[in-house]
Amino acid sequence: MSSLVAEAVQAEIGAYEPWPDNACLYQPYQVEQITFPDYATCLSVKTFLHMCSLDFHTELRINAEEMSPSGKVPFIHVGAFLVAELDPIIAFVNTRGFHLSRELNESERSEMRAYMALIENILVNAELYLAWVDETVSEEITKPRYGYVHPWPLNRLLPWQKQRSMKARLKSISWSNKTIDEVCEEVKTCCQALSEKLDNKQYFFGTRPTELDALVFGHLYTILTTRLPVSRFAVIVEGFSNLAAFCKRVEENFYKKFGREY
């Protein structure tokens, strides 16, 4: 009951502060600079906002990370507010009266949050591992992209610092010493769980999308469409036909139908 009251209050607050026409999402340059883990996160946020039918425009900045209040991308600028990363953005949008998961009961919402945590704990870490720990991908793709917009010697120094930071993060959760085979098994386990949950439904909780759908699409679509010298993650995702079909469905319903960019 208390959650219903909170939602009613949030909706009322949102009613007094309509979503502005000049809302803006900031991210790194997409073609030259952004790394594929950051692209997945940015795509998840964009998809969430599209699913809420909220207007925004995208601003590309070479220093988007430094501009972000959390040091992570993407972040949105709405009125007087700067909000970074998916979970805080979801919470902020909820205060404006927009709730994708409004129709879910408490048990379903708990389940949704558990699957979102699964993605954060496996897919996000797997993407960081592939981007920064796998030597081929890090040297051929990630580090050159991350340093692309900076002059020498920053184009060498900043990617090295970022790689050291990402390796330290993965080491703290015992991921840095995994082999690529072990990481692929983690990805397969995650995809298996998502595939079983989705089954033959349109979205994970029926006929209407939730925050989970936005998060899953952002990461799986990025894995499927990003060209990397190591394609094992994409092969795993393609092995689950309902997940691949889900990505095409979201792409059609929230991007192609409206002529939106990815």
Side-chain angles (χ1 to χ4, degrees), residues 110-127:
S110 295
E111 186 180 13
M112 180 189 74
R113 287 190 291 268
Y115 278 101
M116 293 178 73
L118 179 70
I119 294 166
E120 292 293 333
N121 292 331
I122 294 183
L123 285 189
V124 171
N125 290 327
E127 290 163 2

Side-chain angles (χ1 to χ4, degrees), residues 9 22 36 43 55 67 91 109 111 168 186 198 216 223 227 251:
V9 172
N22 62 347
F36 86 91
L43 186 57
D55 293 328
M67 294 171 62
R109 289 181 189 180
E111 186 180 13
E186 295 274 9
L198 180 63
V216 171
I223 289 172
R227 294 183 179 180
E251 178 187 29

Side-chain angles (χ1 to χ4, degrees), residues 104-118 193-194 196-198 201 204-205 210 212:
L104 302 186
N105 59 41
E106 282 302 314
S107 175
E108 290 171 327
R109 289 181 189 180
S110 295
E111 186 180 13
M112 180 189 74
R113 287 190 291 268
Y115 278 101
M116 293 178 73
L118 179 70
L194 291 173
E196 291 176 1
K197 173 59 183 173
L198 180 63
K201 299 188 295 294
F204 281 92
F205 286 91
T210 66
L212 175 62

Side-chain angles (χ1 to χ4, degrees), residues 12-179:
E12 185 175 355
I13 293 174
Y16 290 106
E17 296 186 45
W19 190 262
D21 295 332
N22 62 347
C24 185
L25 180 144
Y26 287 86
Q27 67 167 67
Y29 276 85
Q30 193 154 292
V31 175
E32 306 94 341
Q33 181 188 14
I34 198 169
T35 63
F36 86 91
D38 283 345
Y39 178 81
T41 303
C42 290
L43 186 57
S44 294
V45 171
K46 289 179 180 178
T47 305
F48 168 71
L49 295 175
H50 288 322
M51 287 177 171
C52 291
S53 299
L54 296 174
D55 293 328
F56 67 95
H57 67 279
T58 302
E59 288 286 342
L60 308 179
R61 294 287 188 272
I62 63 174
N63 60 337
E65 275 191 354
E66 289 75 20
M67 294 171 62
S68 170
S70 72
K72 297 181 180 180
V73 292
F75 69 95
I76 59 173
H77 181 195
V78 181
F81 299 95
L82 292 177
V83 188
E85 304 176 66
L86 180 61
D87 285 345
I89 289 173
I90 290 172
F92 175 78
V93 168
N94 287 347
T95 66
R96 295 299 181 104
F98 301 94
H99 298 262
L100 286 182
S101 53
R102 183 188 299 277
E103 296 185 359
L104 302 186
N105 59 41
E106 282 302 314
S107 175
E108 290 171 327
R109 289 181 189 180
S110 295
E111 186 180 13
M112 180 189 74
R113 287 190 291 268
Y115 278 101
M116 293 178 73
L118 179 70
I119 294 166
E120 292 293 333
N121 292 331
I122 294 183
L123 285 189
V124 171
N125 290 327
E127 290 163 2
L128 292 174
Y129 177 97
L130 189 60
W132 293 105
V133 177
D134 183 270
E135 185 173 353
T136 301
V137 177
S138 65
E139 294 300 322
E140 294 184 12
I141 304 295
T142 311
K143 291 165 77 174
R145 289 183 65 84
Y146 193 81
Y148 178 83
V149 297
H150 301 287
W152 188 90
L154 289 178
N155 64 342
R156 299 296 183 89
L157 177 61
L158 294 179
W160 176 79
Q161 289 180 333
K162 183 71 172 182
Q163 184 181 47
R164 186 174 65 172
S165 171
M166 292 298 98
K167 285 185 174 181
R169 167 180 167 169
L170 293 172
K171 183 178 181 179
S172 70
I173 55 173
S174 302
W175 270 68
S176 61
N177 293 326
K178 288 181 181 288
T179 66

Side-chain angles (χ1 to χ4, degrees), residues 191-192 195 224 232-244:
C191 287
Q192 181 68 50
S195 177
L224 288 170
R232 293 179 65 180
F233 289 5
V235 171
I236 291 170
V237 176
E238 289 168 351
F240 296 90
S241 58
N242 62 339
L243 295 182

